[in-house]
Amino acid sequence: GENVEQHPSTLSVQEGDSAVIKCTYSDSASNYFPWYKQELGKRPQLIIDIRSNVGEKKDQRIAVTLNKTAKHFSLHITETQPEDSAVYFCAASYDFGNEKLTFGTGTRLTIIP
Amino acid sequence: EAQVTQNPRYLITVTGKKLTVTCSQNMNHEYMSWYRQDPGLGLRQIYYSMNVEVTDKGDVPEGYKVSRKEKRNFPLILESPSPNQTSLYFCASSLVGGYGYTFGSGTRLTVV
């Protein structure tokens, strides 16, 4: 089955700087890659996603890039703010519409004021 | 308000005592799923359901059962809980499988 590895497990950045979280996946058939944000004590929430026919997607300060050849995708957060502090999870799915979504192990991002 | 409701939020039980965690969604979603979250392991899928009476195993199904008799409900059943099932459990639903999951608030289960 699919295996998703996520790095780093913890990340601290100064407020205003950029943060990058990277994930690799094992199954070349995977073609849907969402990112979830989980604030302390709360539920995970979808923040951005990308499909394999797109190399990059952007939404305000967050962006996701995908390299299908290398089987890795990354989350980029620019101009970080204190409210960006959270745990971020990447995930991969064999097919858009496939219920079997495999998550990475998470990255705890801390924004230092 | 569109939501996924899990109950209870917190539960402490003893080894071997059967329990059920309920999950209900009011968005008419076809797809529902259960995940457990453990430190350092992320979110691991237990079971998922594509529609009423259609369920399948995720990555860690051992020790769990599910049923989907109605579209809105997807209970998680632990027939004989053990301490290694102590975890934070999330139910999730989506209109299209895996896409745009809405998660419930979570159930923190402790088995002693």
Side-chain angles (χ1 to χ4, degrees), chain A residues 1-2 6 9 32 34 36 38 41-46 49 51 57 87 89-91 93-106 108, chain B residues 3-4 9 31-33 35 37 40-45 47-50 57-59 88 90 92 94 96-106:
Chain A
E2 175 67 281
Q6 184 171 347
S9 57
Y32 174 64
Y36 284 79
Q38 185 180 29
K42 296 193 176 179
R43 70 193 79 188
Q45 290 190 298
L46 178 71
D49 57 12
R51 298 181 68 186
K57 186 176 178 181
V87 177
F89 291 98
C90 62
S93 174
Y94 291 130
D95 186 36
F96 181 74
N98 187 313
E99 179 68 356
K100 192 144 183 24
L101 189 63
T102 301
F103 282 83
T105 51
R108 182 174 299 279
Chain B
Q3 59 185 358
V4 178
R9 290 291 308 276
Y31 293 82
M32 298 186 75
S33 187
Y35 283 86
Q37 183 175 10
L41 297 177
L43 292 153
R44 294 181 292 166
Q45 194 172 41
Y47 270 95
Y48 59 96
S49 170
M50 292 74 79
K57 296 177 181 179
D59 295 317
L88 177 59
F90 285 101
S94 67
V96 181
Y99 171 72
Y101 265 137
T102 298
F103 281 83
S105 298

Side-chain angles (χ1 to χ4, degrees), chain B:
Chain B
E1 180 190 351
Q3 59 185 358
V4 178
T5 303
Q6 285 179 238
N7 281 297
R9 290 291 308 276
Y10 302 91
L11 179 60
I12 301 175
T13 190
V14 297
T15 299
K17 185 176 181 181
K18 181 180 178 180
L19 66 91
T20 300
V21 183
T22 63
C23 174
S24 181
Q25 51 92 6
N26 62 0
M27 297 167 281
N28 202 35
H29 285 171
E30 290 190 351
Y31 293 82
M32 298 186 75
S33 187
W34 276 103
Y35 283 86
R36 61 177 290 174
Q37 183 175 10
D38 301 289
L41 297 177
L43 292 153
R44 294 181 292 166
Q45 194 172 41
I46 303 170
Y47 270 95
Y48 59 96
S49 170
M50 292 74 79
N51 213 327
V52 175
E53 302 291 2
V54 183
T55 63
D56 205 350
K57 296 177 181 179
D59 295 317
V60 288
E62 295 78 19
Y64 304 94
K65 284 176 57 177
V66 294
S67 69
R68 188 91 182 272
K69 292 184 171 54
E70 305 167 280
K71 196 171 186 178
R72 62 183 292 126
N73 296 324
F74 191 43
L76 179 69
I77 303 155
L78 285 73
E79 294 270 2
S80 183
S82 62
N84 64 11
Q85 292 178 298
T86 292
S87 186
L88 177 59
Y89 291 86
F90 285 101
C91 179
S93 74
S94 67
L95 189 59
V96 181
Y99 171 72
Y101 265 137
T102 298
F103 281 83
S105 298
T107 295
R108 186 166 293 281
L109 172 66
T110 302
V111 184
V112 298

